[in-house]
Amino acid sequence: MLKLPRRKRSPAATNQENANNVATIDNDETAARTREVAEAKVVLCVSGMTCSACAVSVENSIKHLPGILDVAIDFLNDRAQIRYLPNLIDEDSIVKAIENAGFQATISKDSADHRSREVCRIRVNGMGCNSCSSMVESVLEEMYGVQKTHIALFKGEAEVHYDPKVVNSTQFIVAIQDIGFDALLITIGEHVSKIELKIDGMDNENSSTKVKESLESVVGIEDVDIDMGLTKVTISYKPDITGPRTFIEVIESIKSEHLKATIYPEKVGRENRKEKEIKQHYKYFLWSSALSVPVFLTSMVFMYIPGIKQILDIKVVNMMNVGHLIKWNLSTPVQFIIGSRFYIGSYKALRCGSANMDVLITLGTNAAYFYSVYIVLRSATSPAFDGTDFFETSSMLITFILLGKYLEILAKGKTSEAIAKLKHLAPETATLLTLDGHGNVISEVEISSELIQKNDVIKITPGAKVASDGIVVWGESHVNESMITGEAKPVAKRTGDKVIGGTMNENGVLHIKATHVGSESSLAQIVRLVESSQLAKAPIQKLADYISKYFVPLVILLSFLTWIAWFLAGKLHLYPKSWLPSSMDSFELALQFGISVMVIACPCALGLATPTAVMVGTGVGASQGVLIKGGQALEFAHKVSCIAFDKTGTLTIGKPVVVNVKLMDTIVLEELLELTAATEVNSEHPIAKAIVEYAKQFKEEHNPIWPEAQEFISIPGHGVEAIVRNKKVVVGNESLMMNNGIEILGETESFLVDAEGMAKTTVLVAVDRTVSGVIVVSDPLKPGAKEVISILKSMEVKSIMVTGDNWGTANSIAKEVGIETVIAEAKPQQKAEEVKNLQTAGHTVAMVGDGINDSPALVAADVGMAIGAGTDIAIEAADIVLMKNDLQDVITAIHLSRRTFARIRLNYIWALGYNLLAIPIAAGVLFPSTRFRLPPWIAGAAMAASSVSVVCSSLMLKKYKRPKKLDEIDIQMKGIIVQ
């Protein structure tokens, strides 16, 4: 990212300001004047802020610094404006404080200069290895206005975060094309949806102009792009304003034109491009094999078969024979036509001042090919020269590398299966309902689910997938949300409940009103989050980037030194002549060793070690309801040594429920609950609602009609009173009973003390001035919470509780789950401070909270885990989102990250170990003792196999299974439910 120069103050100015400060410190009036004169303002561009929680974190990182007067954060535009006293603090210190909080900050040129943020994804074709992706990344990040760039070599994509007021996506595409790669815009922005329509009948310039003009007049359409060759129109639009059905209606209503618009077939999208790429590699490999195998047979097999050998030895000109001509003619198209991709890749790399795998392949094959051409031409001009050519080396080397690339691209395709499965969760069609003014269904029609617009009413039949995010407006059913949240238990849905697109309706008919469509849907957000996380590099990737920077030049140097060493050893007779293979001199032997070194080295394996594992790991996590936002979250999660849990909504369910009812009189339970519910139904208090919900369980009707409560009185902080069925009912705490002169007997008093000692809330119910019962309300622990803390302890992860609740409740819950360290009555910012204290003590800290009140702590932690974030996953401050609202997924996240990182380490060990072992063998270290040498074409096959093996190693993560202890917890929970 381009950093603007920071304004420095001279030492003289600093000293003068300090002197002024000392001279005026005892005079308030003078100090005020000095403050007025010395006050300065700076505008910073702060990248990395994703929500208000980030803004809070940035603000808190600087507002406590000496000399800070005021801080204003605009996280939507990545802007921070700070007023400060330059005699107490400078701009560099402010920037450093923000960067220490985990954000990047640069000083803006003036107060009007601020950054808004836009994100675009670009398809980049032609990247062959890590050096290629580094070239693209370098070019993009050097552009002013670009905040950060993620390059996914294995996906052939670039994600660019930038300021649209300074630079745009078109400039990115031009910049990428200028360095020799093909670039295509995939998406732009997160608030704009894009759809492609196929238009039959748009066969001339006039009709396309009418289509463009008609669409551009529609409110909410951002951009219209027409491709006449494909009769396709691409429309960018705001889904909360308009939608695809409107576009089709507008197009088909154009007068004097007979146009038919449909959704453009998906098969022309990414999957089709991937299939095309696989077929192309397969075709290259087949053609290369068809030409290279005869060359190999002519050089290595046919020369030992009588009859065929005599034909191949027929002289054409001087010592040039038929065999020479056959090999030359067959290997030339392999070298220059089929192998042209390596020349193009080398040119692109060298043009940008770097070197990649293509450079190694080009140098190695050219050395073998042109030396062979020299041998053939020398044979044609000499009646006595007899040399050995290496045509089979260059042709077979290219063939094996193409085979490796073909297998590699097949394996890479499997790493993104998780995203493909997520994308296909949405049903292809939906039933659109038309309602009258009274909500009655007038008609229903089946449409493509891509044509659903905001506020449409959709019918969901039993066994069908929910077509869109929405709210149930009619019907009752159970919906299986496991495909989105990972939660296997079906969720009951009634009028007013939210549903998620892509989930499965089980037993009833639902009518839902679409609330989020297109890119706003939960499914689209999950896909975008997973895609984004797979683009983000893990910090350990810097190791591969650093090694790759020097790898190819070093290999070229080693190859040259190998050739020189063996050539001089032969010329100086440092080894016996008997070491030389038949029909080969010392120069040719040295050349083979040099070429083998050049082609056996594999920088690609290093480049693939981290991103392939991250892609598979995040995909596996998504399938289990654990959304890991990129490689950095994975890397820190595997190091976690301490977890700070929020209490309410994290360790506990988060809402009060009735856990016990104690009868203190002859009244029956059903009557007590009915009288209490009839009184409490008029209250909005959470405890009142919990009591009413509990009472409903004893009624046959789903929504029972309670007896009328007369003379209802609500006493804030105490309870409620009413007359129900001519009985005076008082519901509340001890204070309310005492105010009403109601006596609390010893047995009741003892019960209250015991319940409150266990951090439970007690509600007294008095009927006609006699305490008839006590209702115990609690925010119960989540199922399996105690077991989760125990498992974390066995994983050597310390657990603490950080809560805003009172000490009594906090200690009681902590004791129940097995947490020893408790911090209670902590405000949001104090939670963040406690996290920082743990970090100072040497812990890698994860914070688990609800992602809203705990946002400052989530941002401050090394790994923030938002639990139960539901459909708001895309806007949370957390690094990891646990969608199932299940504490077990904390363990899954840590365990999966450890497995993924172990796989990354294994990949690195293999990639580095392969090169460290293979290069010396190719250089001939075993030749003096064993006469073993590695022909260049076999070295090429080993190099290709190395990349494929790294990808296959990462694919092993797809077999990941969460710890068995978690399955045991599930079995226990099911047993409790059955009982």
Side-chain angles (χ1 to χ4, degrees):
M1 187 169 99
L2 183 63
K3 290 186 183 279
L4 298 172
R6 297 171 182 165
R7 187 166 71 251
K8 301 283 187 181
R9 295 180 298 132
S10 67
T14 303
N15 292 336
Q16 182 62 44
E17 289 168 358
N18 289 336
N20 290 340
N21 187 48
V22 172
T24 59
I25 196 166
D26 294 324
N27 189 306
D28 292 341
E29 184 178 351
T30 308
R33 288 200 300 269
T34 303
R35 175 171 172 167
E36 182 179 352
V37 173
E39 180 180 315
K41 182 176 72 174
V42 63
V43 176
L44 301 178
C45 301
V46 184
S47 59
M49 296 190 296
T50 58
C51 66
S52 58
C54 299
V56 170
S57 184
V58 172
E59 181 179 353
N60 290 332
S61 69
I62 53 180
K63 71 178 184 181
H64 68 279
L65 297 174
I68 298 295
L69 302 177
D70 183 58
V71 180
I73 308 293
D74 179 6
F75 78 91
L76 291 176
N77 294 306
D78 292 337
R79 184 173 182 248
Q81 180 175 288
I82 299 103
R83 290 193 301 112
Y84 66 100
L85 296 176
N87 59 333
L88 296 178
I89 192 169
D90 60 14
E91 296 166 349
D92 288 336
S93 299
I94 297 172
V95 169
K96 187 175 181 180
I98 294 174
E99 290 176 342
N100 288 339
F103 302 89
Q104 289 188 347
T106 55
I107 299 172
S108 197
K109 288 184 291 186
D110 53 64
S111 296
D113 177 27
H114 64 275
R115 292 175 186 258
S116 59
R117 185 178 63 182
E118 191 68 274
V119 182
C120 73
R121 288 174 49 232
I122 299 171
R123 167 85 52 197
V124 183
N125 296 320
M127 294 190 296
C129 68
N130 212 45
S131 296
C132 298
S133 64
S134 296
M135 287 161 53
V136 175
E137 184 174 29
S138 177
V139 166
L140 291 174
E141 290 193 341
E142 286 175 1
M143 298 178 71
Y144 181 65
V146 173
Q147 297 168 357
K148 60 180 176 180
T149 304
H150 299 308
I151 307 295
L153 169 64
F154 41 90
K155 293 178 70 178
E157 288 185 14
E159 182 179 86
V160 188
H161 297 245
Y162 63 98
D163 181 356
K165 296 181 177 65
V166 179
V167 69
N168 58 52
S169 58
T170 304
Q171 291 171 274
F172 303 148
I173 291 173
V174 171
I176 294 170
Q177 290 173 340
D178 282 346
I179 59 173
F181 298 95
D182 293 329
L184 176 69
L185 183 66
I186 303 174
T187 59
I188 181 169
E190 296 186 357
H191 63 288
V192 176
S193 294
K194 181 181 285 188
I195 193 166
E196 295 177 341
L197 301 178
K198 182 175 178 58
I199 305 179
D200 296 325
M202 187 177 65
D203 50 11
N204 57 63
E205 193 68 30
N206 182 52
S207 61
S208 68
T209 301
K210 288 183 179 180
V211 168
K212 188 176 180 69
E213 290 176 350
S214 299
L215 289 172
E216 287 178 342
S217 66
V218 177
V219 177
I221 288 184
E222 296 282 302
D223 184 59
V224 178
D225 181 58
I226 294 179
D227 187 330
M228 283 294 296
L230 298 174
T231 63
K232 177 178 73 173
V233 58
T234 303
I235 306 167
S236 300
Y237 65 99
K238 293 184 177 179
D240 56 338
I241 299 176
T242 186
R245 228 169 42 252
T246 302
F247 310 151
I248 292 175
E249 291 172 2
V250 168
I251 292 169
E252 294 182 347
S253 65
I254 297 175
K255 295 179 179 179
S256 73
E257 299 289 340
H258 301 285
L259 303 176
K260 178 69 175 176
T262 55
I263 301 292
Y264 204 77
E266 188 182 358
K267 64 182 180 180
V268 298
R270 178 188 299 180
E271 291 80 4
N272 190 51
R273 285 193 296 271
K274 182 66 70 177
E275 288 176 9
K276 184 179 179 182
E277 189 178 5
I278 292 173
K279 288 178 181 178
Q280 191 177 47
H281 277 79
Y282 182 62
K283 182 179 72 174
Y284 285 156
F285 168 66
L286 286 182
W287 276 107
S288 185
S289 299
L291 296 170
S292 300
V293 171
V295 175
F296 175 79
L297 294 174
T298 301
S299 298
M300 300 294 180
V301 179
F302 293 157
M303 296 303 296
Y304 301 99
I305 300 177
I308 298 178
K309 182 181 185 313
Q310 281 71 27
I311 295 173
L312 295 176
D313 286 340
I314 296 174
K315 302 296 187 290
V316 178
V317 178
N318 287 329
M319 294 299 291
M320 183 176 72
N321 56 37
V322 172
H324 286 144
L325 290 177
I326 291 174
K327 289 184 285 184
W328 190 4
N329 285 318
L330 291 176
S331 61
T332 298
V334 176
Q335 182 70 35
F336 297 107
I337 298 176
I338 298 173
S340 61
R341 65 192 304 273
F342 302 119
Y343 287 96
I344 295 170
S346 300
Y347 169 73
K348 291 175 183 176
L350 296 173
R351 181 182 172 188
C352 294
S354 64
N356 58 10
M357 186 195 72
D358 291 333
V359 173
L360 296 179
I361 296 170
T362 302
L363 288 174
T365 57
N366 276 337
Y369 177 83
F370 285 109
Y371 177 75
S372 301
V373 171
Y374 162 76
I375 292 295
V376 173
L377 294 177
R378 178 95 181 268
S379 299
T381 56
S382 172
F385 178 78
D386 185 17
T388 302
D389 64 76
F390 296 132
F391 282 121
E392 81 284 349
T393 294
S394 64
S395 59
M396 290 301 293
L397 180 56
I398 289 174
T399 300
F400 276 113
I401 290 170
L402 289 174
L403 173 61
K405 285 292 180 186
Y406 170 67
L407 295 176
E408 186 180 315
I409 199 171
L410 281 177
K412 283 180 185 177
K414 295 183 181 296
T415 62
S416 57
E417 283 183 353
I419 291 180
K421 288 179 180 178
L422 283 171
K423 287 184 173 180
H424 288 101
L425 285 178
E428 294 183 0
T429 61
T431 302
L432 176 66
L433 300 179
T434 303
L435 307 179
D436 62 16
H438 302 288
N440 300 315
V441 178
I442 299 174
S443 65
E444 57 182 66
V445 60
E446 189 173 273
I447 62 171
S448 168
S449 60
E450 292 177 299
L451 297 179
I452 297 174
Q453 297 182 186
K454 202 167 184 178
N455 296 323
D456 281 345
V457 177
I458 307 298
K459 178 182 178 181
I460 313 296
T461 57
K465 288 183 178 179
V466 177
S468 169
D469 288 6
I471 296 174
V472 177
V473 293
W474 181 87
E476 293 184 8
S477 183
H478 285 80
V479 176
N480 187 334
E481 298 182 341
S482 62
M483 56 281 293
I484 299 292
T485 65
E487 179 60 65
K489 184 181 178 181
V491 181
K493 299 293 180 182
R494 302 182 182 90
T495 301
D497 289 341
K498 293 180 180 179
V499 290
I500 305 172
T503 55
M504 183 70 73
N505 183 29
E506 293 206 337
N507 49 16
V509 177
L510 295 176
H511 292 177
I512 68 164
K513 183 179 182 180
T515 56
H516 297 83
V517 297
S519 61
E520 290 185 336
S521 69
S522 298
L523 186 58
Q525 289 182 31
I526 293 171
V527 169
R528 187 161 60 241
L529 189 151
V530 176
E531 285 182 330
S532 224
S533 70
Q534 293 178 343
L535 286 172
K537 288 183 180 179
I540 196 174
Q541 178 69 19
K542 293 177 182 177
L543 173 63
D545 293 343
Y546 181 80
I547 294 174
S548 297
K549 185 177 179 181
Y550 302 101
F551 187 87
V552 174
L554 180 62
V555 169
I556 294 172
L557 177 62
L558 289 174
S559 175
F560 178 74
L561 293 176
T562 299
W563 173 75
I564 285 292
W566 280 103
F567 177 69
L568 292 177
K571 288 298 182 183
L572 298 175
H573 306 293
L574 297 180
Y575 60 80
K577 196 171 183 179
S578 61
W579 284 15
L580 289 172
S582 58
S583 69
M584 190 179 290
D585 60 23
S586 59
F587 175 84
E588 292 166 348
L589 180 65
L591 183 63
Q592 273 210 354
F593 281 129
I595 293 174
S596 293
V597 169
M598 193 172 295
V599 299
I600 203 168
C602 186
C604 287
L606 278 171
L608 293 168
T610 298
T612 52
V614 169
M615 172 170 268
V616 178
T618 52
V620 168
S623 68
Q624 300 207 15
V626 178
L627 298 186
I628 303 171
K629 298 182 182 179
Q632 182 166 331
L634 267 174
E635 181 158 347
F636 280 113
H638 97 279
K639 300 177 184 177
V640 167
S641 59
C642 179
I643 298 183
F645 288 95
D646 177 42
K647 182 186 76 69
T648 307
T650 302
L651 290 171
T652 64
I653 289 175
K655 63 178 182 179
V657 295
V658 175
V659 294
N660 190 16
V661 178
K662 177 73 172 177
L663 298 177
M664 298 296 179
D665 197 3
T666 56
I667 193 171
V668 296
L669 177 63
E670 287 77 4
E671 183 183 359
L672 175 74
L673 291 175
E674 184 178 51
L675 293 173
T676 307
T679 306
E680 292 280 33
V681 76
N682 299 290
S683 172
E684 292 297 319
H685 196 282
I687 291 179
K689 291 182 178 180
I691 293 172
V692 172
E693 285 299 316
Y694 183 77
K696 284 181 181 179
Q697 299 176 23
F698 296 85
K699 293 289 185 179
E700 295 181 0
E701 317 94 286
H702 175 64
N703 287 310
I705 298 175
W706 304 106
E708 182 181 358
Q710 298 174 336
E711 300 180 22
F712 174 81
I713 301 173
S714 176
I715 303 133
H718 295 277
V720 293
E721 301 176 8
I723 302 295
V724 181
R725 288 181 176 168
N726 298 319
K727 294 180 180 180
K728 175 73 172 181
V729 181
V730 179
V731 182
N733 55 23
E734 291 179 77
S735 177
L736 181 62
M737 300 298 144
M738 292 173 62
N739 292 339
N740 280 272
I742 300 172
E743 184 182 3
I744 300 175
L745 300 177
E747 181 186 0
T748 305
E749 186 69 41
S750 176
F751 182 80
L752 294 178
V753 171
D754 292 341
E756 290 171 2
M758 294 184 289
K760 292 179 171 60
T761 301
T762 53
V763 178
L764 294 161
V765 182
V767 179
D768 289 336
R769 304 185 61 80
T770 301
V771 175
S772 300
V774 180
I775 299 175
V776 182
V777 180
S778 175
D779 182 6
L781 283 177
K782 283 186 176 175
K786 182 177 181 180
E787 290 78 5
V788 166
I789 301 302
S790 175
I791 293 173
L792 285 172
K793 189 177 292 185
S794 69
M795 295 170 68
E796 299 183 354
V797 177
K798 179 182 178 181
S799 298
I800 71 168
M801 182 195 293
V802 184
T803 179
D805 211 337
N806 64 73
W807 280 98
T809 302
N811 284 323
S812 175
I813 295 295
K815 183 178 180 181
E816 195 172 347
V817 297
I819 291 178
E820 297 175 358
T821 306
V822 179
I823 298 156
E825 299 178 8
K827 295 179 181 179
Q829 184 49 38
Q830 290 175 315
K831 292 183 180 182
E833 292 297 331
E834 291 297 338
V835 167
K836 291 173 185 176
N837 291 339
L838 290 167
Q839 292 168 330
T840 304
H843 287 291
T844 299
V845 183
M847 174 69 194
V848 185
D850 62 11
I852 301 171
N853 296 329
D854 302 305
S855 291
L858 288 171
V859 174
D862 297 291
V863 182
M865 297 186 185
I867 189 164
T871 58
D872 295 324
I873 57 167
I875 60 172
E876 294 295 345
D879 302 296
I880 298 176
V881 180
L882 312 176
M883 296 182 62
K884 292 188 292 185
N885 198 19
D886 190 339
L887 276 177
Q888 296 181 32
D889 288 338
V890 173
I891 295 172
T892 302
I894 295 174
H895 188 257
L896 175 60
S897 68
R898 289 181 178 181
R899 287 291 179 88
T900 303
F901 229 73
R903 185 60 57 175
I904 290 173
R905 288 198 188 97
L906 181 63
N907 288 349
Y908 271 119
I909 291 170
W910 166 246
L912 290 169
Y914 162 82
N915 283 293
L916 291 174
L917 183 65
I919 290 175
I921 293 174
V925 295
L926 299 178
F927 188 72
S929 58
T930 64
R931 303 297 181 274
F932 176 80
R933 60 190 174 90
L934 208 59
W937 60 273
I938 294 180
M943 183 271 287
S946 175
S947 294
V948 176
S949 63
V950 167
V951 179
C952 291
S953 171
S954 295
L955 285 173
M956 295 297 290
L957 281 170
K958 294 178 72 174
K959 297 183 178 180
Y960 169 82
K961 292 183 179 179
R962 66 182 196 157
K964 290 183 178 179
K965 291 180 180 179
L966 296 183
D967 295 328
E968 293 172 3
I969 294 176
D970 283 343
I971 293 171
Q972 291 174 14
M973 292 303 103
K974 288 177 182 177
I976 292 171
I977 292 170
V978 170
Q979 292 173 9

